Amino acid sequence: MQTAQNLTALCELVVQEMRELTGFDRVMIYRFHEGGDGSVIAESKQEHLESFLGMHYPDSDIPKQAKHLYTLNWLRVIPDVNYQPIGLVTTEETSSHPLDMSYCSLRAVSPVHIEYLKNMGVASSMSVSLIQQQKLWGLISCHHLTPKLIPYEIRTVCEFFGQLMSTELFTKENSEYLDYKLHLKTIQGQFVERLTNVTISTFVEEIISDHEALLDLVGAAGAAVCDGDDIILIGQTPNQAAIKTLLPWLHNLFKQDIFVTDSLSSLYPIAEEYKDVASGLLAMAISEVQSQYILWFRPEILQTVIWAGNPDKPNRIESDGSLTIFPRKSFEAWQQTVSGKSNYWLPCEVEVVIELRRAIIDIVLRQSGELANINLELERINNELDAFAYIASHDLKEPLRGIHNYASFLLDDYGEILQGEGAEKLHTLVRLTTRMESLIESLLKFSRLGRQELQMDSIDLNLLLRNVTELFSMNPQWDKCKILIPRSLPTVFGDRVLIEEVFTNLISNAFKYNNKSEKWAEISWIESDGQPYNIFTFYVRDNGIGIREKHLESVFRIFKRLHASSKYGGGTGAGLTIVKKIVERHGGQIQVVSTFGKGTTFSFALPIHNMSTNQ
């Protein structure tokens, strides 16, 4: 048995040896399938008997109770189907406790099974259980046309025979398709090697980079790689709409993040529409949270199954609330064409997907850990930079103010004496110190933004913009400028002072960088569909000079001015940088769209509820 090359050879050897050992007219190996039905995979018989090799038998032929008893007992013997069962007599004291005869070799069998054997023309039988991983794998089934009593010594050898074959099943099944398994392992290893060198954000791209390898990994005809809302189809698959409908149904059926079936339409009737490309499905969930899946498909393969009698013919009748079971009488070959099924997914194909998923998860977790460490280091560096900018700008203000004051004193006290070039140099020094103080003040303000705690509260933007409008109207510099608010603004959640600064900065830029006779800035908002916490997007649009496209990416850099400091009212070039920082501190982003010579639109997102309480 140990030297048998494969499972088929083992089964053929066992039926021959068992028949020679016991003298039964027919010895078969009957294997159970996943659905509970089974088939004869090996047979040794008297030449004149009809062959049952390859015959299928429905699940109902062997009830669940009988299958359970087979797992408890290695051997079950019926020497004569015409035996007369003798009932056990109990005392009154023990009558309330039924006697468990599960392990009793003399236990009578079901009358239904006796009639089943008689219908087959069998006078005596013996069954030896084949058990793998504590589950009933199959039976060594022995039939004789006349009564036959097997001696105890031979029964003991038969029981040992079944136990030995059960231990060999695992080895023989693993040795099946050995070359194919090695091929799958090679492809899997190549996948893992490539994925090791990619980032979390690009590993999906690497998975789909080799279409042929992705399909060969499990012997599929098509695959769908799902990454959030993106679905990449490879080979023969249902369309994207069908897969988007399939995924929610599939979500609740994953076992260990793997789902496998060779008859999808029997579980998911909608799949009947595309069974020609997707009768078989092997699905792997990489991350259900991020909706990352890989689905492999196999097309429908019409199969011809030979049953021992019509499997659809009922063998049970329900009447007046009671169920009557009767055995089949016909065992003639009955041919059935099975549709809606693909080729069976081999255990090695499922296993290679499980191992690939483990490898992907390990890679993602490792890279996530590395990314977390990088983020912590970046956060530390940013904090140090903020602290340095704050200390440097704060400490520079005092000596700079001294230089400015001394230069002013020199002009006041010695301006008439110096005159000419000397006085002009002192005026230049005063101007430079004034500008330097403005730059340092902007830097100090920017560094504070990263350090200060936000005073979050509900803000009525209509009231806030009313205050901002009044401030602009009081400044004669903006007497020909208009602030347009076409519709009422919502209430947002944020730091009132900082949000007011955002609008003030953007509106002042709209007026400052504007060469029109009538200058205006329009403020409005739109709902941001699909955003968390009811995020709304606000925009400030103007009719100013606009920004050239090549400068759009640099407008938010600190101290970056697109014009000379003497043009358009001067400034430090830190205003938009501060606006960007404020928006980011509120969990949003700011974008700019501009048409040179016609105007600019700044848009940014703000939450309208308390985000911390929603979390």
Side-chain angles (χ1 to χ4, degrees):
M1 291 172 67
Q2 291 176 338
T3 58
Q5 293 184 352
N6 51 45
L7 181 63
T8 302
L10 173 67
C11 292
E12 290 176 353
L13 175 66
V14 167
V15 293
Q16 290 171 7
E17 293 293 329
M18 183 71 83
R19 182 167 166 242
E20 183 176 342
L21 176 69
T22 61
F24 275 100
D25 291 331
R26 186 199 308 269
V27 177
M28 302 170 288
I29 289 184
Y30 181 83
R31 182 174 184 176
F32 291 103
H33 303 152
E34 282 192 5
D37 59 318
S39 60
V40 177
I41 62 173
E43 181 184 51
S44 177
K45 65 178 183 66
Q46 296 280 3
E47 291 184 3
H48 67 278
L49 295 179
E50 177 188 0
S51 176
F52 290 162
L53 184 62
M55 290 284 192
H56 283 67
Y57 295 81
D59 181 29
S60 57
D61 274 18
I62 304 179
K64 289 183 179 179
Q65 302 94 316
K67 291 176 182 175
H68 177 65
L69 288 174
Y70 281 128
T71 62
L72 301 178
N73 295 283
W74 286 97
L75 209 66
R76 186 168 81 164
V77 181
I78 305 175
D80 187 352
V81 295
N82 294 311
Y83 76 91
Q84 295 298 317
I86 306 299
L88 293 179
V89 179
T90 64
T91 63
E92 293 182 1
E93 291 79 7
T94 61
S95 61
S96 60
H97 303 287
L99 180 62
D100 184 359
M101 297 187 66
S102 300
Y103 300 96
C104 180
S105 60
L106 299 178
R107 181 180 186 272
V109 298
S110 166
V112 174
H113 181 62
I114 293 296
E115 188 175 348
Y116 186 95
L117 292 175
K118 289 180 178 179
N119 292 341
M120 291 184 74
V122 175
S124 63
S125 72
M126 181 178 72
S127 298
V128 183
S129 299
L130 298 174
I131 298 174
Q132 186 181 20
Q133 297 179 342
Q134 299 180 336
K135 292 183 179 180
L136 186 63
W137 183 92
L139 298 170
I140 303 175
S141 184
C142 307
H143 290 171
H144 207 65
L145 302 184
T146 58
K148 187 176 184 63
L149 180 62
I150 304 298
Y152 172 76
E153 294 83 359
I154 300 297
R155 296 202 305 269
T156 303
V157 174
C158 291
E159 183 175 334
F160 174 72
F161 220 48
Q163 294 172 355
L164 182 58
M165 182 177 177
S166 294
T167 62
E168 283 297 309
L169 286 174
F170 181 77
T171 304
K172 294 300 185 287
E173 287 194 321
N174 276 347
S175 65
E176 282 193 297
Y177 310 107
L178 186 58
D179 291 341
Y180 181 54
K181 290 177 182 178
L182 293 174
H183 174 65
L184 296 184
K185 285 287 185 183
T186 301
I187 298 175
Q188 179 203 28
Q190 293 170 351
F191 262 106
V192 174
E193 184 178 356
R194 293 202 307 268
L195 292 174
T196 304
N197 301 319
V198 300
T199 62
I200 296 174
S201 59
T202 60
F203 83 93
V204 171
E205 297 176 9
E206 187 61 41
I207 286 175
I208 63 174
S209 62
D210 189 339
H211 291 187
E212 184 177 354
L214 183 62
L215 298 181
D216 288 347
L217 184 67
V218 294
V225 180
C226 309
D227 184 16
D229 293 331
D230 296 331
I231 298 178
I232 300 97
L233 302 181
I234 300 168
Q236 303 174 30
T237 68
N239 58 38
Q240 289 198 1
I243 292 176
K244 286 182 178 179
T245 305
L246 171 66
L247 286 175
W249 173 84
L250 191 61
H251 179 78
N252 297 321
L253 296 179
F254 278 110
K255 293 181 180 179
Q256 299 179 340
D257 299 301
I258 299 293
F259 174 81
V260 59
T261 179
D262 59 357
S263 182
L264 181 59
S265 58
S266 65
L267 304 174
Y268 182 62
I270 299 175
E272 183 74 22
E273 301 175 2
Y274 44 81
K275 65 181 182 179
D276 56 325
V277 294
S279 284
L281 170 63
L282 174 54
M284 173 179 72
I286 300 173
S287 170
E288 294 188 62
V289 175
Q290 300 180 19
S291 297
Q292 292 177 322
Y293 306 91
I294 302 179
L295 279 60
W296 287 275
F297 299 99
R298 280 181 176 173
E300 176 187 43
I301 300 293
L302 293 178
Q303 302 174 16
T304 300
V305 178
I306 308 297
W307 295 89
N310 187 345
D312 297 326
K313 189 174 181 179
N315 66 342
R316 57 189 65 198
I317 296 177
E318 188 170 353
S319 177
D320 298 328
S322 61
L323 185 66
T324 302
I325 301 177
F326 56 90
R328 272 188 303 115
K329 296 182 179 181
S330 172
F331 294 90
E332 293 182 2
W334 193 88
Q335 185 170 301
Q336 179 188 31
T337 300
V338 179
S339 63
K341 295 192 72 171
S342 71
N343 283 334
Y344 177 70
W345 298 96
L346 297 174
C348 60
E349 293 168 336
V350 177
E351 184 61 31
V352 80
V353 169
I354 293 174
E355 292 180 6
L356 176 62
R357 183 183 183 277
R358 289 182 190 142
I360 290 174
I361 297 303
D362 288 344
I363 293 168
V364 169
L365 288 177
R366 187 179 70 248
Q367 292 187 354
S368 295
E370 294 172 356
L371 186 60
N373 291 334
I374 293 172
N375 287 336
L376 286 173
E377 182 65 14
L378 287 174
E379 185 177 357
R380 183 187 66 79
I381 294 172
N382 284 333
N383 289 335
E384 290 179 356
L385 287 174
D386 282 345
F388 172 77
Y390 178 79
I391 294 170
S393 56
H394 184 272
D395 292 350
L396 282 173
K397 288 180 70 176
E398 191 64 30
L400 187 63
R401 191 176 294 113
I403 294 171
H404 175 85
N405 290 339
Y406 272 105
S408 299
F409 294 156
L410 285 172
L411 280 173
D412 291 341
D413 296 342
Y414 304 102
E416 293 181 359
I417 298 174
L418 293 172
Q419 296 181 356
E421 187 177 349
E424 182 59 32
K425 288 181 179 179
L426 283 176
H427 280 293
T428 300
L429 182 61
V430 170
R431 286 196 304 273
L432 289 175
T433 55
T434 300
R435 174 163 173 74
M436 189 65 181
E437 187 171 9
S438 297
L439 291 172
I440 290 175
E441 186 63 37
S442 296
L443 180 61
L444 183 61
K445 191 171 187 177
F446 179 75
S447 64
R448 281 174 179 162
L449 280 175
R451 300 166 59 83
Q452 74 182 71
E453 184 177 349
L454 301 184
Q455 304 299 316
M456 305 295 281
D457 200 359
S458 293
I459 306 169
D460 185 344
L461 288 184
N462 297 294
L463 295 178
L464 185 144
L465 265 299
R466 190 179 303 163
N467 295 335
V468 172
T469 302
E470 289 177 359
L471 290 175
F472 276 96
S473 64
M474 293 168 60
N475 190 334
Q477 180 184 357
W478 315 118
D479 59 345
K480 292 185 178 181
C481 302
K482 294 181 179 180
I483 298 176
L484 308 176
I485 304 177
R487 63 170 176 155
S488 180
L489 298 168
T491 298
V492 299
F493 188 76
D495 187 305
R496 185 180 303 275
V497 174
L498 295 182
I499 296 298
E500 183 172 319
E501 184 166 357
V502 168
F503 284 104
T504 301
N505 264 322
L506 293 178
I507 293 171
S508 63
N509 280 352
F511 294 160
K512 184 189 300 183
Y513 300 102
N514 198 318
N515 54 11
K516 306 291 194 306
S517 57
E518 291 188 1
K519 306 172 184 180
W520 53 263
E522 180 184 278
I523 302 166
S524 192
W525 59 280
I526 55 173
E527 294 185 26
S528 301
D529 295 335
Q531 294 282 358
Y533 314 118
N534 292 326
I535 299 290
F536 279 13
T537 299
F538 299 86
Y539 63 83
V540 178
R541 185 163 61 93
D542 63 54
N543 65 337
I545 61 173
I547 304 170
R548 295 183 188 275
E549 185 175 356
K550 64 180 180 180
H551 296 310
L552 288 177
E553 294 184 3
S554 61
V555 294
F556 295 109
R557 283 164 47 190
I558 193 167
F559 304 142
K560 174 68 176 179
R561 285 183 54 83
L562 303 182
H563 310 281
S565 58
S566 58
K567 294 187 65 176
Y568 298 107
T572 63
L576 286 178
T577 309
I578 292 172
V579 166
K580 183 175 183 289
K581 186 76 170 180
I582 293 173
V583 171
E584 289 174 348
R585 285 297 309 275
H586 283 78
Q589 292 182 328
I590 187 168
Q591 290 89 28
V592 57
V593 177
S594 185
T595 302
F596 184 69
K598 294 185 178 180
T600 303
T601 300
F602 287 92
S603 59
F604 55 92
L606 291 175
I608 65 169
H609 290 304
N610 185 337
M611 294 177 66
S612 61
T613 58
N614 283 346
Q615 291 175 348

